[in-house]
Amino acid sequence: MKENYYKKGIKIFWLDEAEPEYSFYDFDNYRYYLGPNVQIGNIYPKCYAQTFYEGMEKEGQKNILNLLRCAWAGSQKYGALVWSGDIHSSFESMRNQFSAGLNMAIAGIPWWTTDIGGFHGGNPGDPAFREIFVRWFQYGTFCPVMRLHGDREPHTAPLSEVRGGRCHSGGPNEVWSYGEEVYDICKKYMLIRENLKPYISDAMTAAHEKGTPVISPMFYHFPEEGECWNSSDEYMFGDKLLIAPVMYSGLTSRTVYLPAGKKWFDVWSRKEYQGGQVLNVDCSIDLIPVFSCDENICKYFA
């Protein structure tokens, strides 16, 4: 890797298949030098990240960060930016990623991302998939890392009959590939993400200095609230933004619980609410419910 990539100027790596990937997941029968897979198999992704990190560190590189498909306890020490793998393009899969990301965060790994829209399947011309894509894009705006990736349908024909040219390629997956309505929504949220850079930088600094998750389950910031321990469909992005993703098809409204003891502001309407109540809020296709306990944060959504 050093000879063929690093010395040629590559300073960040996309480290795929970090599990490792098996053809058959018969863990009882796999053996490594250190012991059976059921005892030590999960350290593989940590060691994978460590291998690259320590090599790059030895070369004098600072602020090392690599994108990995898997992680385990301790991976955060080795610059691991983790994404959730080649997941299905569906609302069910989106809900799974929502849970996985919060579990990853509370386990001490702050850098988290998903393939927006899922990886496998999904045709940009399909109205049903466009809805999934929009809702996932909105959720991705309020993740530690926001990135678009996927193997879209229909695949394009091979470019040639030699080497890599023989491979089929996924269909278009740029934000303008989904029609004008979706494109306008994507532009709206990309601008919000840009506007939020100062806020996100503060959240990243807290993660670096204190280990504070960038995204977190509601109980992390509001441990005294029983309702927050029961929450399974909203989360905090930083310490001032409450995010309530839309993770089911066809919804135009959803309920949101606002923790007690604070005033909350709907970032879209600027309307003020007292905490400790459940609201039924609008979530038309261009809106993801977002509330802030700091009115000044609302300016980023203008």
Side-chain angles (χ1 to χ4, degrees), residues 29-271:
N29 287 323
Y30 286 122
R31 297 292 186 271
Y32 293 110
Y33 176 79
L34 292 179
N37 191 303
V38 291
Q39 289 184 353
I40 56 86
N42 283 340
I43 71 170
Y44 185 98
K46 187 204 76 170
C47 293
Y48 191 12
Q50 182 180 0
T51 297
F52 279 78
Y53 183 91
E54 291 181 349
M56 296 160 78
E57 186 178 49
K58 186 177 179 180
E59 296 301 312
Q61 186 170 334
K62 305 294 184 183
N63 298 321
I64 299 165
L65 191 70
N66 291 310
L67 185 65
L68 285 106
R69 198 171 85 176
C70 192
W72 190 244
S75 289
Q76 63 268 40
K77 293 189 294 184
Y78 303 112
L81 193 176
V82 187
W83 98 98
S84 58
D86 298 344
I87 50 180
H88 189 58
S89 296
S90 67
F91 274 115
E92 181 181 10
S93 180
M94 181 184 173
R95 293 192 293 272
N96 289 339
Q97 310 322 304
F98 171 86
S99 298
L102 293 178
N103 277 279
M104 185 76 74
I106 208 69
I109 299 177
W111 290 89
W112 161 261
T113 182
T114 64
D115 289 345
I116 288 176
F119 179 82
H120 287 296
N123 185 329
D126 179 3
F129 181 63
R130 288 183 178 185
E131 182 187 11
I132 295 170
F133 180 82
V134 164
R135 295 309 194 184
W136 209 315
F137 200 91
Q138 292 165 345
Y139 161 68
T141 303
F142 305 101
C143 282
V145 174
M146 181 187 186
R147 49 182 283 282
L148 178 57
H149 181 63
D151 185 26
R152 299 290 170 249
E153 303 289 347
H155 283 187
T156 59
L159 296 176
S160 74
E161 296 183 358
V162 297
R163 299 185 178 87
R166 293 176 294 180
C167 297
H168 293 267
S169 182
N173 193 37
E174 293 81 12
V175 291
W176 53 82
S177 305
Y178 292 79
E180 285 299 320
E181 181 184 19
V182 175
Y183 182 42
D184 287 342
I185 294 171
C186 289
K187 285 194 293 184
K188 169 182 174 179
Y189 284 91
M190 286 189 289
L191 287 172
I192 288 170
R193 179 77 182 196
E194 285 293 307
N195 292 340
L196 282 169
K197 275 186 174 180
Y199 177 81
I200 296 171
S201 294
D202 288 343
M204 294 295 184
T205 299
H208 173 66
E209 295 178 348
K210 304 175 185 178
T212 307
V214 179
I215 57 173
S216 59
M218 296 300 296
F219 64 77
Y220 182 86
H221 289 284
F222 306 98
E224 304 302 320
E225 292 230 37
E227 188 66 30
C228 289
W229 287 87
N230 294 326
S231 175
S232 61
D233 62 356
E234 56 188 68
Y235 67 102
M236 294 297 293
F237 181 56
D239 62 352
K240 296 180 174 65
L241 285 175
L242 186 159
I243 315 297
V246 181
M247 297 184 286
Y248 290 88
S249 177
L251 293 185
T252 56
S253 65
R254 60 152 291 173
T255 58
V256 176
Y257 176 72
L258 303 178
K262 291 181 178 291
K263 293 179 180 179
W264 293 91
F265 299 88
D266 183 326
V267 301
W268 308 116
S269 68
R270 305 296 195 272
K271 188 174 180 180

Side-chain angles (χ1 to χ4, degrees), residues 254-258 264 266 273-274 277-281 291:
R254 60 152 291 173
T255 58
V256 176
Y257 176 72
L258 303 178
W264 293 91
D266 183 326
Y273 297 92
Q274 288 294 331
Q277 62 174 316
V278 176
L279 301 178
N280 191 62
V281 299
F291 290 82

